[in-house]
Amino acid sequence: MDEGTQNMPEVTESTPGRSPRGARVSAARIVGVLLTIAMIAGAVGWVRFIHIVPVEGPDAYVDVRPEDTVTTLSQRVFALGMTSSPQALRWYWRLRHGGSLREGRYMLEGLSNMEALYRLLVSGSPLTARVTFPEGYTVHQVAARLQEQAGISADDFLKVARDDQGKLLEGRLFPDTYEFLYAGDAAEVVARMLGRFADVVPSDWAAQAAKRGLTGDQLLRVASIVEREAKYDADRPLVASVIFNRLAKKMLLQLDTTLGYVLPSHNGFYTYAELKYKSPYNTYLHAGLPPTPICNPGLASLNAAAHASASTYYYFLAKPDGHCVFARTYAEHARNIQLYLSGGH
């Protein structure tokens, strides 16, 4: 060995890519790429999460009923094809710390993202329905119209339209025009109609009933019969007087309208056999008033029952033009039948 090189240190070349600093740089780049991918995936997922598919047309609505939860509502909008998951709205609701649901029907047209849907359900205006219930409707007829025009289940209504003994609130659901939340709470409808009845019933109702030896409910049965028997307000007080006169004489009322509450007629008429139909509502067989009102009377019929005219009539007949004609004796009544139901006027 050359003496000049004997004590020189040995020099070796480093292997590229193996330095600790280089390894750290490579790892950082990999982490950065993964984070970027994760951020992109998260952003894509979030966009997909908050996106909704707009719905249009007559079915572009969602009903929120009193018993609904955010979970059931989330599933409902998913079923409409609006959201990406049955839980999407529920998750978003939690993220936004949403409060309680408000019942009603909400129109969904024009909504394009989850925030718009959320704001509609939290602070938007639900649809309302304006419904008119004609005088003389029964509770079952009220229920059917409510379902048809206000989206409130007839079955739900019939469950709550009852008193403490479970009897239908026949006679006490005042016929009028109301505005309700569409697909709202049936109990709220009942409360509104009962409240309206309490507002309009004559103030001397109980006193007038007592003067005739009746309860308030019995007087209401009279009003309901007057409602179904008389077409014109001018006839109602005299129709009420006939009912009271017959009750006082313990005569059978013999009214088709009471039987009609449980047995449909044939264009207003019954066969002889049907007049023997066994029911407490058949006043051809059973003395006194029917066991309940037979409809929900209007104000004119309530007033007629409370303040019936004094008369000596015991019979009445509805003429073809709808006006009533009255008689004191059965012979007079028979002549009226012959005259007005045989082509007379």
Side-chain angles (χ1 to χ4, degrees):
M1 178 179 293
D2 190 322
E3 188 176 326
T5 61
Q6 184 174 358
N7 295 319
M8 294 288 291
E10 184 178 354
V11 178
T12 60
E13 294 184 2
S14 60
T15 304
R18 292 187 179 180
S19 69
R21 181 175 180 277
R24 287 195 298 270
V25 171
S26 296
R29 288 176 178 172
I30 293 171
V31 171
V33 170
L34 292 176
L35 286 174
T36 300
I37 293 172
M39 291 174 64
I40 293 173
V44 170
W46 175 253
V47 170
R48 183 171 180 268
F49 170 68
I50 64 173
H51 176 72
I52 63 175
V53 177
V55 292
E56 306 292 340
D59 296 326
Y61 64 84
V62 64
D63 290 335
V64 181
R65 302 192 180 279
E67 69 276 7
D68 283 340
T69 65
V70 175
T71 297
T72 58
L73 183 60
S74 184
Q75 294 168 346
R76 196 167 293 156
V77 295
F78 174 73
L80 290 173
M82 294 187 70
T83 57
S84 59
S85 162
Q87 304 301 324
L89 176 61
R90 182 173 70 89
W91 292 336
Y92 196 85
W93 201 278
R94 288 185 176 181
L95 286 173
R96 298 288 274 106
H97 303 290
S100 301
L101 293 174
R102 297 174 306 133
E103 68 267 15
R105 171 166 288 189
Y106 295 84
M107 297 306 297
L108 303 174
E109 290 184 322
L111 301 181
S112 59
N113 58 64
M114 189 69 75
E115 177 66 14
L117 175 60
Y118 169 78
R119 288 188 176 277
L120 172 68
L121 297 172
V122 167
S123 58
S125 298
L127 291 180
T128 59
R130 191 174 178 83
V131 185
T132 297
F133 301 107
E135 296 168 346
Y137 258 32
T138 66
V139 172
H140 280 87
Q141 287 175 310
V142 170
R145 174 161 289 201
L146 194 63
Q147 178 168 297
E148 177 186 354
Q149 297 188 8
I152 297 174
S153 165
D155 288 341
D156 289 348
F157 181 79
L158 292 172
K159 288 176 183 176
V160 295
R162 298 180 182 274
D163 61 19
D164 294 339
Q165 286 73 47
K167 296 180 180 179
L168 287 175
L169 291 167
E170 198 73 82
R172 299 182 180 277
L173 303 180
F174 189 73
D176 206 342
T177 297
Y178 299 85
E179 189 165 356
F180 305 117
L181 282 179
Y182 199 98
D185 188 356
E188 173 63 23
V189 175
V190 172
R192 289 272 303 281
M193 299 184 78
L194 286 175
R196 186 76 179 113
F197 175 83
D199 290 340
V200 304
V201 70
S203 58
D204 59 347
W205 185 260
Q208 291 299 326
K211 282 175 59 175
R212 297 186 181 275
L214 302 175
T215 65
D217 181 68
Q218 287 172 325
L219 189 59
L220 186 58
R221 299 179 211 176
V222 174
S224 72
I225 295 172
V226 171
E227 184 64 59
R228 296 305 294 268
E229 289 286 351
K231 182 177 181 180
Y232 296 100
D233 289 351
D235 292 332
R236 299 185 195 279
L238 280 178
V239 169
S241 77
V242 170
I243 296 171
F244 290 132
N245 289 343
R246 292 179 75 92
L247 289 174
K249 288 287 188 179
K250 299 190 183 303
M251 298 171 64
L252 292 172
L253 292 180
Q254 296 181 313
L255 298 170
D256 288 358
T257 52
T258 63
L259 180 57
Y261 189 66
V262 291
L263 184 67
S265 67
H266 311 285
N267 296 321
F269 296 95
Y270 290 98
T271 65
Y272 179 78
E274 288 171 332
L275 293 179
K276 301 296 182 180
Y277 183 74
K278 293 182 179 180
S279 168
Y281 289 90
N282 187 349
T283 52
Y284 286 93
L285 297 180
H286 298 278
L289 293 166
T292 71
I294 60 171
C295 70
N296 293 285
L299 183 57
S301 294
L302 292 171
N303 281 324
H307 309 111
S309 302
S311 81
T312 56
Y313 293 128
Y314 288 88
Y315 304 88
F316 69 89
L317 175 73
K319 298 187 294 183
D321 65 2
H323 290 282
C324 292
V325 60
F326 299 87
R328 294 173 177 82
T329 67
Y330 182 75
E332 290 178 8
H333 183 56
R335 285 196 295 271
N336 287 336
I337 293 174
Q338 181 66 27
L339 177 62
Y340 294 107
L341 297 186
S342 300
H345 302 286

